[in-house]
Amino acid sequence: MAVALLLNRVFRRRKKKSTESISTYAVYEFDFDTIKAATNKFSNLIGRGGFGSVYKGRLQSGQDIAVKIYFTSSIRAEREFHNQLDILSKLRHKNLINLLSFCTKRDQHCLVYEFMPNSSLDRFILDPHRASQLSWEMCRNIVDGIACGLRYLHEESGSWVVHRDIKPSKILLDSDLKPKIVGFGLARMMQQGQNEAESTEIVGTVGYLDPEYMRSGRVSVKSDVYAFGVTILTIISRREVWSVDGDTLIEYVMRCWNRGEAIDVIHEVMREEEREDSISEILRYIHIALLCIDEDAETRPSIDKVLHWFSCFSSPLPEPFIGNRFLAEEETYRSWSLSLSPGHSSLMSPISSR
């Protein structure tokens, strides 16, 4: 039976706690029995996180799905569920995960997504065997797709969304290795025309967190630009952000750039197998990534500007600013890492460098 016969279009108004507004969820709602049947009684576990578990399933229409069931006993899980639902129900783009449905029946909180057969980007680039299957053309298409998704969030969606946790594990790959941004539990919608806003807590992943956001507690689209820059470097180097011969990935890249040896940032397999013109393009992407992680958020490019640089190879690039202050920012990261788990999303109180 077609999906349309299983579902009724609903617009739910759920009154949240006093700190939250009433949201309209313009997505299909499944009943819990439908989800239970589609997942064969939740028999195929494909992922587990701090707030819930993810199961693979299949609808009667034949469409494969991923179902995330939240631990409703957690206040943060409840908040993430509603944030994902509230934001993703308003968004549609080829480089964003498609939210198909939700369920809040029988004290269960579930979100139903399209299924991504190639899992997350980090599992590709950090697995030597799978990483060897990624040519530069594939990597470039992934990077460009992520940028297109971010431009939609920042400028085209009408919701002015800041993701706040961009990193390789938040990028899923479909059967054609096309990227889709996921993980909107920490995302924030801005007011129309608003570039930044105060945040009562610092959220994100250490190693991808914008240093200026960490200092000031002000969230902006430029924080996503910073995390995107780190993601580009991770894809090209195929290294963890915290395990490069005792240096962070950013420190390593900076030192290579200062020595005029940016080519060393490129993973050795890619460096050996790609043509000279591809190597030149990869070096340009490294240059752009360094501009994205400028320590001054004001001088970072917009995602739209980054996409222009990607598509127009003849367009000149400004020199990245690399100074002693940047290394001081890395020391700030190190002090934070003593109490946080690098690579995992975290929630913190704002700090000030003043």
Side-chain angles (χ1 to χ4, degrees), residues 115-335:
F115 177 71
M116 294 289 102
N118 278 308
S119 189
S120 57
L121 176 59
D122 62 320
R123 295 189 181 183
F124 253 90
I125 60 178
L126 300 177
D127 180 309
H129 173 69
R130 301 182 81 184
S132 66
Q133 303 171 25
L134 288 177
S135 66
W136 166 242
E137 182 180 4
M138 294 174 180
C139 291
R140 183 190 62 214
N141 290 339
I142 290 170
V143 170
D144 291 0
I146 298 169
C148 287
L150 285 175
R151 179 170 63 182
Y152 171 77
L153 292 176
H154 294 173
E155 302 175 13
E156 299 171 346
S157 67
S159 297
W160 301 277
V161 176
V162 182
H163 186 279
R164 296 206 288 181
D165 201 22
I166 292 294
K167 57 184 176 180
S169 64
K170 299 295 185 181
I171 308 299
L172 298 187
L173 303 174
D174 69 9
S175 57
D176 297 318
L177 296 182
K178 293 178 180 177
K180 299 209 176 198
I181 300 172
V182 299
F184 286 80
L186 301 179
R188 177 165 173 174
M189 286 189 289
M190 312 286 276
Q191 297 296 321
Q192 183 175 359
Q194 188 180 33
N195 292 321
E196 61 178 27
E198 293 287 350
S199 178
T200 58
E201 57 195 17
I202 305 299
V203 296
T205 300
V206 177
Y208 296 88
L209 270 171
D210 172 10
E212 190 155 312
Y213 172 43
M214 291 175 67
R215 287 195 307 271
S216 68
R218 295 192 66 80
V219 60
S220 77
V221 295
K222 293 299 184 70
S223 298
D224 282 351
V225 172
Y226 182 93
F228 176 60
V230 180
T231 299
I232 295 174
L233 297 175
T234 305
I235 293 170
I236 291 173
S237 67
R238 298 176 185 176
R239 297 174 183 257
E240 297 272 13
V241 291
W242 288 94
S243 59
V244 185
D245 301 324
D247 290 337
T248 68
L249 174 60
I250 293 176
E251 287 176 327
Y252 172 74
V253 173
M254 291 290 186
R255 290 193 172 95
C256 289
W257 183 269
N258 280 337
R259 294 196 302 261
E261 299 171 352
I263 195 169
D264 289 345
V265 175
I266 305 171
H267 187 266
E268 57 185 12
V269 174
M270 192 184 298
R271 198 164 59 229
E272 293 169 359
E273 294 182 353
E274 295 295 339
R275 303 186 312 271
E276 184 175 343
D277 58 337
S278 294
I279 295 298
S280 297
E281 189 175 44
I282 298 170
L283 291 172
R284 181 177 174 85
Y285 272 60
I286 293 173
H287 190 157
I288 294 170
L290 289 174
L291 295 172
C292 289
I293 62 171
D294 192 303
E295 60 194 56
D296 184 352
E298 289 295 322
T299 56
R300 283 178 215 146
S302 67
I303 285 293
D304 190 60
K305 185 67 173 179
V306 168
L307 279 164
H308 170 72
W309 286 337
F310 285 167
S311 62
C312 187
F313 199 84
S314 61
S315 180
L317 299 175
E319 282 299 310
F321 175 73
I322 304 172
N324 292 330
R325 181 183 161 195
F326 189 93
L327 296 181
E329 299 294 350
E330 291 303 307
E331 290 303 316
T332 299
Y333 271 140
R334 291 184 189 280
S335 65

